[in-house]
Amino acid sequence: MSNLISSPGQQSLTLSLIAIAVGSMLSPVYADGYGLAQANRSGVKLDKWQCKRCSVSTDTIGSVGAGVAYNDGADSHFGNTSGTDEDGAIAHLEAELMLKNKSGYQTYIAADKLGYNNGSASLSTGTPGQYEIVLGYRGLAHYDTNAASTPYSPEADLLNLPDNWRPGATTGQMAELSNSAEPAALKMQRDRFNLGAEYTGRFYQAELDYRHEIRAGKQTFNGNLLTNSAMLARPIDDSTDELGAKLYFNGANWLAGIDAMVSRYNNDHEAINWQSAFTPTFGAAYRGQSAVPTDNKAYRIAANARIGSNGHRVLMRTGFSRFSQDEPFLPATINGPSPSLPQPTLDGRVDMIEMSLKYSGRITPELSVRAAYDYKERDNKTEQLNMPQVVTDSYYTGTAINPEYDRTRQQATFAAKYRFTRNTYLDTGYQYDHNRYSDLDRQTLHESGIYARLNYRPSRIWSLGVKAEVKDRSGSEYRASTGTASANNPLMRKSYLADREHRKFNVRATYQPSHAVSVSTNLHNSQDDYTDTGIGLTYVESTGYDVSIQYLFDEALSFNAFVNQDWRDSDQAGSTNFGEANWYANQDERSSLVGASVKYENLMDSKLSLGLDYNYSDGQSDTEVTQGVTAQFGDYYSTKHNINAFADYRFSEKLSIRVDWLFEQYEDEDWSNNGLTLDAIPNVLTFSSLSQDYRAHYLGLTLSYHL
């Protein structure tokens, strides 16, 4: 009987639904006076009829936060970990907010360490599935060192020495060198701003995206005047603007559209011009000048199409790009009369054509195949001119024609996958890569290879995989380069153009007895044998492994760990007499990466969360040269210990606080500049030693309000 008894509210709702159903079957004539529009609803409690599961949330959810931190920026390299090279106190903002209304319109706001050099912020608003507008910012910074020392100071395009500077024939004779040297920070800051919009219609989708990027910083540049050289901190101040648009149409089994992009690069510097710190060797070479990347622009337009049905799919793509620059030439030299230039500007232009065709399909329930063809053509349309050649801005050596460096590349791939059982499949393929060059040591270069990958799952908890590939590269007759001041050794081969036999093997295993435990391992070995190289790189072998472990003790406590190690051994042959090899070098490189993390949540009545990460990395290289006797280069290594700990405590549903602590111990050494002083090399003005050895801390406090 209980199934037949209903509450009064349920009876009322049932009768109402029946009345609506009956009324909907009546024609307008017979239902006159009985329609919903004429119904007396004054006594009806409409709030009882609302579908609470169907309501659209209009709440604002998320959190906003503000933080302050102490950062040890004595060595700017630590900024690659902490996100800023500021020394001392620094503030930042955090946010993650979602705002919605009843119509489905929503706005998402996010900020991460906004106020740091590596901070970011974004805002997106719109209706999902209809349109969206996005506004974003991201800072990207890379810190090399702030320990470089130089007597030069920048002023626009000029790098000048102090007014009281007294040049010397050698660095040891520069009386004001030690008193004039000031620290220079070698770093790069990128600030990216983007504005985008997307609209989705019933059978089409349109996108528009604009990005503006500004770069500022200093990079290493070597300024040469004959036999003397100076390490300079070249200023970087440039910007790039990109505007992209896409329009796609879609149907039941097809998709087609076009996309276009316009880009422009602007450099605030026209050249780098530096004052010589040395007494001129001969003549009057008191300053040097070198070109920097010049203003240029590019555009690209492409068409894409995809069709598919019954397990078969075809992708087609074609595109055209043009790169151009037409800035005025610099004079061939600023030391004495400059040789005449063939024309005022380069009027450079490079066109590129791309086409690709891809197919994938299932032939039988067990067999599927894939095929692809890619074509790329780089055509340099820049006029070839007789350009004057001035060695290190000092003396004229004649003219040379600017090379074209055209390239045509064709790639083809065919692969098949066969599933023997539900737990075993074999994937095999053939790859072919053909290149045609102009103005290189080889006109054609082609490489072909095969690979096979076997996957086997012997049980629910085990998964095994083995992959092997073999490639062979060869090409047309090798011709020694004639574009340099002195001819190359005819036995020398450039590694990217030389004949090569490549072999690679990989073994993978995964063990997952439950959702709480997962272990994966991977072993790999590769060998590159440069079979026809008498002078140059002759052999490279790389071996390594990685292991990762994940363990979930319970819903609150989790643990992760990994270890990765790689070894790379390479051999090189050289000659001092322009003949057969008479010296040999071996380079042994090793790298290790170890890490572990633990996270404990829901402590103290689900108010406290704790986390701890530890990472260790080590890389080193040993070089040994044999020429009658064996000599070994000095130390070349870097090691880093990194600890990241946090505690997040929630005082209430609205308020929480988070404490972050970072610690990093870093050390590196380069035998070529370890212990170097500004005047250590008579004809080279260096930055002094750039080796780093520091221990740095970061302590941050963030207060968050949850909406």
Side-chain angles (χ1 to χ4, degrees):
M1 293 292 294
S2 61
N3 292 334
L4 300 177
I5 298 175
S6 60
S7 66
Q10 290 174 324
Q11 290 177 342
S12 176
L13 178 60
T14 302
L15 293 174
S16 299
L17 293 175
I18 293 174
I20 293 172
V22 172
S24 66
M25 292 185 292
L26 299 175
S27 67
V29 175
Y30 296 109
D32 186 31
Y34 296 93
L36 291 178
Q38 287 77 25
N40 183 3
R41 296 174 290 172
S42 59
V44 179
K45 298 180 179 181
L46 297 177
D47 59 327
K48 300 293 185 180
W49 288 28
Q50 293 179 359
C51 176
K52 293 182 171 56
R53 292 185 179 181
C54 303
S55 63
V56 178
S57 173
T58 60
D59 295 336
T60 298
I61 59 174
S63 64
V64 293
V68 62
Y70 171 79
N71 182 64
D72 183 0
D75 194 310
S76 66
H77 191 268
F78 180 56
N80 295 314
T81 300
S82 65
T84 177
D85 65 341
E86 294 289 335
D87 191 15
I90 184 171
H92 67 276
L93 296 176
E94 305 278 344
E96 187 172 7
L97 296 172
M98 177 68 77
L99 300 86
K100 296 182 179 180
N101 65 14
K102 293 182 179 181
S103 65
Y105 182 88
Q106 65 182 35
T107 299
Y108 178 72
I109 302 172
D112 180 31
K113 289 189 175 180
L114 187 61
Y116 288 15
N117 295 339
N118 278 322
S120 64
S122 64
L123 183 149
S124 62
T125 185
T127 302
Q130 295 183 16
Y131 74 93
E132 183 181 32
I133 299 174
V134 178
L135 179 66
Y137 161 79
R138 185 178 183 185
L140 298 168
H142 177 74
Y143 308 97
D144 190 357
T145 180
N146 58 353
S149 296
T150 178
Y152 287 92
S153 57
E155 182 181 347
D157 290 342
L158 307 177
L159 292 175
N160 293 324
L161 293 164
D163 293 337
N164 63 343
W165 183 263
R166 287 183 291 172
T170 65
T171 54
Q173 297 176 5
M174 299 175 183
E176 299 298 324
L177 180 56
S178 58
N179 297 329
S180 303
E182 296 289 341
L186 302 177
K187 65 178 184 179
M188 180 64 68
Q189 173 71 42
R190 298 171 183 259
D191 292 305
R192 291 179 179 174
F193 305 87
N194 70 282
L195 174 64
E198 177 182 323
Y199 184 83
T200 302
R202 186 171 60 86
F203 61 91
Y204 67 93
Q205 179 175 333
E207 296 180 23
L208 190 66
D209 182 71
Y210 170 73
R211 189 178 81 171
H212 176 69
E213 177 176 299
I214 303 171
R215 295 196 313 165
K218 293 180 180 179
Q219 289 182 334
T220 300
F221 175 83
N222 292 320
N224 299 324
L225 288 172
L226 289 179
T227 58
N228 298 322
S229 178
M231 297 181 68
L232 307 172
R234 179 172 77 90
I236 306 295
D237 296 286
D238 56 25
S239 64
T240 303
D241 293 273
E242 291 184 2
L243 178 64
K246 296 181 180 180
L247 179 61
Y248 280 81
F249 300 89
N250 62 279
N253 296 309
W254 60 273
L255 175 70
I258 58 173
D259 59 80
M261 184 273 294
V262 179
S263 174
R264 184 173 183 83
Y265 170 80
N266 293 280
N267 195 337
D268 291 345
H269 299 280
E270 296 182 355
I272 178 171
N273 185 299
W274 69 96
Q275 183 180 350
S276 176
F278 295 88
T279 303
T281 305
F282 67 83
Y286 292 100
R287 300 195 71 94
Q289 180 170 272
S290 179
V292 296
T294 187
D295 296 357
N296 59 77
K297 55 187 177 181
Y299 71 84
R300 180 176 184 275
I301 185 167
N304 307 273
R306 183 184 69 192
I307 56 175
S309 178
N310 299 324
H312 300 270
R313 187 172 65 172
V314 177
L315 299 174
M316 295 170 284
R317 181 179 181 84
T318 182
F320 174 80
S321 305
R322 172 165 291 177
F323 310 87
S324 60
Q325 74 96 344
D326 194 24
E327 294 299 306
F329 280 132
L330 296 174
T333 180
I334 61 172
N335 292 306
S338 174
S340 61
L341 296 165
Q343 58 190 39
T345 66
L346 177 66
D347 192 19
R349 194 181 78 186
V350 175
D351 293 342
M352 184 175 293
I353 297 175
E354 301 174 79
M355 293 184 290
S356 65
L357 178 64
K358 298 181 180 180
Y359 164 80
S360 62
R362 184 174 296 278
I363 308 304
T364 68
E366 297 83 14
L367 177 64
S368 61
V369 298
R370 307 182 304 276
Y373 172 77
D374 289 276
Y375 175 88
K376 293 182 180 180
E377 180 181 333
R378 180 187 186 275
D379 186 8
N380 189 347
K381 297 294 185 66
T382 306
E383 184 180 357
Q384 291 188 287
L385 306 168
N386 280 312
M387 308 294 292
Q389 304 294 294
V390 179
V391 177
T392 64
D393 214 346
S394 300
Y395 64 94
Y396 175 64
T397 62
T399 62
I401 297 177
N402 51 300
E404 289 182 328
Y405 294 132
D406 289 341
R407 180 183 183 183
T408 301
R409 185 177 189 182
Q410 300 180 78
Q411 295 174 289
T413 303
F414 178 80
K417 180 178 178 181
Y418 188 83
R419 185 172 293 277
F420 298 95
T421 66
R422 292 181 58 186
N423 299 321
T424 307
Y425 73 82
L426 177 66
D427 188 5
T428 62
Y430 170 78
Q431 300 169 327
Y432 181 76
D433 188 350
H434 185 275
N435 293 270
R436 179 176 293 276
Y437 304 100
S438 68
D439 295 318
L440 288 184
D441 297 353
R442 285 186 126 163
Q443 283 190 326
T444 61
L445 191 71
H446 49 82
E447 183 175 60
S448 60
I450 58 173
Y451 74 88
R453 179 173 62 237
L454 178 65
N455 259 42
Y456 174 53
R457 182 180 286 275
S459 65
R460 182 185 60 82
I461 63 176
W462 279 100
S463 176
L464 305 174
V466 180
K467 182 179 179 180
E469 70 176 32
V470 178
K471 293 182 180 180
D472 182 77
R473 186 174 71 190
S474 60
S476 60
E477 180 184 358
Y478 203 101
R479 298 173 297 178
S481 175
T482 58
T484 55
S486 59
N488 291 332
N489 188 323
L491 298 177
M492 189 180 75
R493 300 290 183 266
K494 298 174 182 176
S495 59
Y496 70 96
L497 293 175
D499 291 357
R500 184 188 68 177
E501 293 179 356
H502 170 80
R503 298 172 294 277
K504 186 176 181 179
F505 308 93
N506 182 277
V507 179
R508 176 189 55 82
T510 301
Y511 173 69
Q512 189 172 4
S514 67
H515 76 281
V517 181
S518 176
V519 181
S520 64
T521 62
N522 184 57
L523 307 174
H524 66 85
N525 174 268
S526 66
Q527 302 168 31
D528 291 312
D529 189 359
Y530 296 86
T531 56
D532 193 39
T533 297
I535 304 295
L537 189 64
T538 57
Y539 184 78
V540 179
E541 181 172 6
S542 177
T543 304
Y545 73 92
D546 60 78
V547 179
S548 63
I549 301 173
Q550 296 179 332
Y551 187 77
L552 183 66
F553 293 92
D554 53 41
E555 292 184 356
L557 182 60
S558 61
F559 172 78
N560 297 274
F562 65 89
V563 58
N564 173 278
Q565 285 191 293
D566 282 283
W567 297 266
R568 186 178 187 271
D569 184 70
S570 58
D571 296 328
Q572 183 177 344
S575 174
T576 60
N577 57 14
F578 207 73
E580 299 283 345
N582 60 7
W583 64 263
Y584 304 89
N586 173 263
Q587 189 173 43
D588 184 14
E589 300 171 89
R590 302 176 298 281
S591 65
S592 300
L593 184 63
V594 180
S597 66
V598 60
K599 190 173 183 179
Y600 204 172
E601 299 178 295
N602 301 325
L603 297 170
M604 300 177 63
D605 295 329
S606 299
K607 293 183 178 181
L608 179 64
S609 295
L610 301 174
L612 178 66
D613 291 320
Y614 169 74
N615 289 281
Y616 167 77
S617 60
D618 173 73
Q620 53 186 315
S621 175
D622 296 320
T623 302
E624 190 176 77
V625 179
T626 301
Q627 188 176 8
V629 295
T630 298
Q632 190 165 356
F633 290 176
D635 292 331
Y636 188 87
Y637 68 86
S638 68
T639 60
K640 181 171 71 173
H641 299 266
N642 183 275
I643 299 174
N644 183 351
F646 78 88
D648 194 328
Y649 184 77
R650 192 149 187 167
F651 295 102
S652 64
E653 291 185 359
K654 298 292 187 180
L655 195 63
S656 67
I657 190 170
R658 177 182 171 112
V659 179
D660 287 278
W661 175 62
L662 297 177
F663 170 76
E664 184 169 282
Q665 177 181 326
Y666 180 86
E667 181 181 3
D668 66 22
E669 190 166 310
D670 182 351
W671 63 269
S672 64
N673 70 21
N674 186 41
L676 209 62
T677 59
L678 288 167
D679 59 355
I681 305 175
N683 66 329
V684 180
L685 179 57
T686 71
F687 280 144
S688 71
S689 177
L690 299 180
S691 296
Q692 299 175 100
D693 186 358
Y694 65 83
R695 292 167 178 80
H697 297 264
Y698 168 96
L699 183 62
L701 186 69
T702 304
L703 188 65
S704 297
Y705 182 77
H706 302 269
L707 303 176

